[in-house]
Amino acid sequence: QVHLQESGPGLVKPSETLSLTCGVSGYSISRGYYWGWIRQPPGKGLEWIGSLSHSGNTYYNPSLMSRVTISMDTSKNQFSLTLSSVTAADTAVYYCARIDINILVAIESWGQGSLVTVSS
Amino acid sequence: DIQMTQSPSSLPASVGDRVTITCRASQSISTYLNWYQQKSGKVPELLIYGASRLQSGVPSRFSGSGSGTDFTLTISSLEAEDFATYYCQQSYVGTTWTFGRGTKVEIK
């Protein structure tokens, strides 16, 4: 059973960079699946941020592409999200997830989510 | 981007009701359509993938249908634990995955 856990600062200042890490247990991220990030502003719907293949290829939401980087550290079995030049509009719960692109073609496991507030 | 339009945004219902939620894609996505349930304060969970395939462990009162641009999620007989927000999501190959805005099924 895979387990995902987000970690990182809960408060980021405007114009600075948001950084989150997703620790994965129960499965090696380099073995298969895609790994992604989704966010949800308070009281609103879900927004796809981007994903990372087990071989390191990245796929980003075009609306965020200029500010987003998703990377992996296989030695620690974790992957990360950085979002630069944040504004209040980036305040959200950020979820990391495991994505099955072969059979389900869907998000099949989620982390518990990490609330990040952008405020001075 | 492929836009996903869900309706209604809010759905008052009672236990035992048959509930139907619709989702329309801005272009054909074949059957690359998934449904998620999100209970208040909780993490979304996959209910249906491939438009009509029930994820393991999901009760059979949930069903999905559709292909191309028009899709439906049906709950045959609403139970108390089903009051939640439901999201459709397209996973068409080569596109940025996108979600509908959600349908909140609430107590009538």
Side-chain angles (χ1 to χ4, degrees), chain B residues 19-35:
Chain B
V19 168
T20 300
I21 300 167
T22 63
C23 184
R24 175 166 289 177
S26 60
Q27 65 184 70
S28 177
I29 56 171
S30 184
T31 56
Y32 290 95
L33 191 284
N34 307 310
W35 291 97

Side-chain angles (χ1 to χ4, degrees), chain A residues 40 48 62 95 104-105 107 110, chain B residues 34 36 38 43 91 96-97:
Chain A
Q40 184 171 36
W48 182 263
Y95 295 101
L104 304 182
V105 201
I107 304 162
W110 301 68
Chain B
N34 307 310
Y36 300 86
Q38 186 177 33
V43 177
S91 57
T96 299
W97 290 11

